[in-house]
Amino acid sequence: MTAGPVVVEAVNVSKKFKLVHERNHSLKATVLRGRRVVAEDFWALRDVSLDVREGETFGLIGQNGSGKSTMLKVLTRILTPNEGRVRVEGKVSALLELGAGFHPELSGRENVFLNGAILGLPQSELKKRFDAIVDFAGVGDFIDEPVKNYSSGMYVRLGFSVAINVDPDVLFVDEVLAVGDEEFQRKCNDKFSELRNAGKTIVLVTHSMSAVSNLCDRVAWFSKGKLMKMGSPRDTIEAYSATTRIALRLDEFGKARWGSGEGRIVGVFWLSPGGEPISRLDGGRPARLRLHYEIDEPLIRPVFAASIQLEDGTELTSTSTRDVGCVPEKLQGNGHVDLTFDAFPLLPGTYNVTVALTDFSRIHDYDVRKEIVSFAVDPGVLNEMSGIFAMGGKWEVH
Ligand SMILES: Nc1ncnc2c1ncn2[C@@H]1O[C@H](COP(=O)(O)OP(=O)(O)OP(=O)(O)O)[C@@H](O)[C@H]1O
Ligand SMILES: [Mg+2]
């Protein structure tokens, strides 16, 4: 691929924050010893070195809190590292936090000019590009409203539009693809390709593994402030997804969960043919998803449902026991339900499973556990090379 000069460099960067804890929780302890406030060092980045070459699109991935945004802030000099140094060559533009750099009381128009000026574009040039900026952002007449009245989607679209229209040599972007509707995401992707073809350097943070594999030349994976791996999207995503966990309890991992709680889903596992919990499946092979339940009082005609999402949250498919008429009149106590596949149809990648226990109308939720299990799919016996699911078609040449 590209072998231009290094234009973004971090050398042995560490960044710490002070976390303030109040140590004495009981009244007695407070009375006896007084309030003790303890500040603790927390290392958000630890000895990170990376380099990005001119013209590369470089991705940062990793779980929440792993230090990705902190890294971008250090690279764009919003934060100063405690150790190490950074170097960025050329004109920089950045879209970091939602609405960072926007003044809430000013109108969209005023913010475009203010922001553009901060990013180094002369007013005359901004005037020329103004319509294109507003057009790309799709904020329409809202451009003369104070941005505090904007939806989060509008905010980020306008911010992104300014950031890419100032002709940067290096563009830093944090999670822009997660916000905005499908059409805007498509526009962003087109814009990334355009910048890329123009030889610009892009450093982006994203949770979308499909964005990483489609857009990036190289990827860095962060975990707990450390750089775990830097390499091709394929290798890096594979290493990352191998560590993502299989069966998660909400309590430990803070996954979204809701419902009235008379019946609960207390464990979700993919099982191997031998009945062992597994976190990787083989495409085209048999697979079994097991949901363990606990129900206090008898539930009348309860329904179990499961759905599969891409890592960016896109729903691929869902199925329920009601769809197939597999609904008991009454259910109580502890037990499990199985969802089995003769030939698992997803292509290699990382996916999430969401499960639910609801009443027969599917309106009342007893327990919904969002993206409770993350799992990876290996090629297995599928022939398809790219995409999400196996069509399973047959070719014949006559
Ligand atoms: N200003 C701050 N003060 C204290 N701690 C902070 C500060 N900024 C970040 N942190 C902590 O540093 C760690 C890394 O945060 P960071 O925002 O870089 O993570 P991230 O990888 O971007 O996560 P996410 O995917 O959720 O955006 C987190 O534990 C976070 O709570
Ligand atoms: Mg972040």
Side-chain angles (χ1 to χ4, degrees):
M1 206 138 299
T2 164
V6 172
V7 291
V8 177
E9 186 181 35
V11 182
N12 304 118
V13 165
S14 295
K15 176 69 194 173
K16 74 177 169 192
F17 294 111
K18 290 230 178 294
L19 295 185
V20 179
H21 302 290
E22 238 176 85
R23 271 294 157 80
N24 293 334
H25 291 299
S26 75
L27 179 62
K28 185 175 165 195
T30 308
V31 171
L32 290 179
R33 287 188 286 275
R35 270 162 66 101
R36 253 177 77 219
V37 176
V38 182
E40 214 176 272
D41 285 344
F42 171 80
W43 290 90
L45 290 174
R46 207 74 206 241
D47 199 22
V48 175
S49 299
L50 56 80
D51 53 72
V52 182
R53 291 181 178 276
E54 185 171 40
E56 267 192 315
T57 301
F58 191 92
L60 306 185
I61 62 172
Q63 299 201 341
N64 296 126
S66 55
K68 306 179 295 295
S69 298
T70 307
M71 189 71 226
L72 282 198
K73 286 179 195 159
V74 169
L75 288 172
T76 52
R77 297 178 199 283
I78 292 169
L79 292 173
T80 315
N82 296 87
E83 291 164 15
R85 59 192 162 82
V86 299
R87 176 176 68 89
V88 179
E89 303 280 334
K91 188 168 154 196
V92 171
S93 179
L95 182 62
L96 303 184
E97 270 150 82
L98 185 58
F102 273 0
H103 195 296
E105 302 294 336
L106 297 181
S107 70
R109 182 187 299 273
E110 290 161 328
N111 270 299
V112 168
F113 279 93
L114 185 64
N115 236 259
I118 292 169
L119 292 169
L121 207 66
Q123 297 287 307
S124 56
E125 201 48 42
L126 268 171
K127 275 195 190 122
K128 266 190 237 159
R129 298 183 192 194
F130 184 78
D131 288 343
I133 292 174
V134 177
D135 190 49
F136 185 89
V139 295
D141 293 343
F142 270 85
I143 194 66
D144 287 310
E145 289 281 314
V147 298
K148 66 178 180 193
N149 297 340
Y150 282 20
S151 69
S152 57
M154 286 162 74
Y155 232 108
V156 87
R157 292 198 313 256
L158 192 60
F160 186 67
S161 190
V162 175
I164 56 172
N165 275 295
V166 298
D167 281 342
D169 299 310
V170 186
L171 176 68
F172 293 93
V173 182
D174 197 343
E175 277 297 350
V176 69
L177 295 165
V179 196
D181 55 18
E182 220 168 290
E183 194 201 333
F184 182 69
Q185 289 185 8
R186 191 180 44 71
K187 277 182 8 188
C188 286
N189 281 328
D190 290 350
K191 201 71 202 183
F192 280 136
S193 308
E194 192 185 310
L195 289 168
R196 200 177 160 178
N197 293 338
K200 307 296 185 178
T201 308
I202 304 171
V203 180
L204 86 151
V205 168
T206 179
H207 283 105
S208 160
M209 293 305 125
S210 54
V212 168
S213 49
N214 293 337
L215 294 171
C216 294
D217 300 304
R218 281 193 307 143
V219 181
W221 160 35
F222 286 76
S223 176
K224 297 181 183 151
K226 295 209 178 81
L227 180 68
M228 305 299 284
K229 189 176 173 72
M230 184 160 61
S232 71
R234 198 197 169 102
D235 293 352
T236 316
I237 292 172
E238 192 174 297
Y240 170 51
S241 63
T243 66
T244 52
R245 55 298 135 162
I246 152 198
L248 307 171
R249 297 298 298 261
L250 164 91
D251 347 328
E252 295 159 50
F253 293 94
K255 292 282 161 176
R257 179 182 192 174
W258 65 88
S260 54
E262 296 93 327
R264 296 166 302 280
I265 298 172
V266 294
V268 182
F269 303 92
W270 286 104
L271 298 179
S272 70
E276 294 292 313
I278 49 173
S279 60
R280 307 187 72 88
L281 307 182
D282 280 334
R285 299 259 191 217
R288 179 188 302 260
L289 183 72
R290 177 162 292 176
L291 284 60
H292 292 269
Y293 64 80
E294 265 176 26
I295 300 174
D296 305 331
E297 298 293 316
L299 294 182
I300 309 300
R301 295 204 291 161
V303 174
F304 291 90
S307 60
I308 295 180
Q309 292 81 34
L310 294 181
E311 286 205 304
D312 66 5
T314 307
E315 181 106 334
L316 292 182
T317 180
S318 72
T319 174
S320 81
T321 50
R322 195 181 80 170
D323 301 339
V324 293
C326 176
V327 181
E329 267 312 305
K330 252 187 204 176
L331 197 64
Q332 186 181 16
N334 298 351
H336 65 260
V337 294
D338 283 352
L339 171 64
T340 57
F341 301 82
D342 295 333
F344 196 69
L346 294 185
L347 295 176
T350 306
Y351 304 91
N352 290 310
V353 175
T354 293
V355 295
L357 172 56
T358 73
D359 74 347
F360 191 76
S361 72
R362 306 272 334 253
I363 292 169
H364 182 84
D365 295 322
Y366 298 119
D367 196 9
V368 179
R369 307 199 61 168
K370 196 135 177 70
E371 296 176 356
I372 185 176
V373 169
S374 165
F375 67 100
V377 178
D378 292 324
V381 294
L382 295 176
N383 298 319
E384 282 91 339
M385 296 303 289
S386 67
I388 294 167
F389 75 99
M391 290 191 288
K394 283 201 183 82
W395 285 103
E396 272 173 55
V397 179
H398 295 290

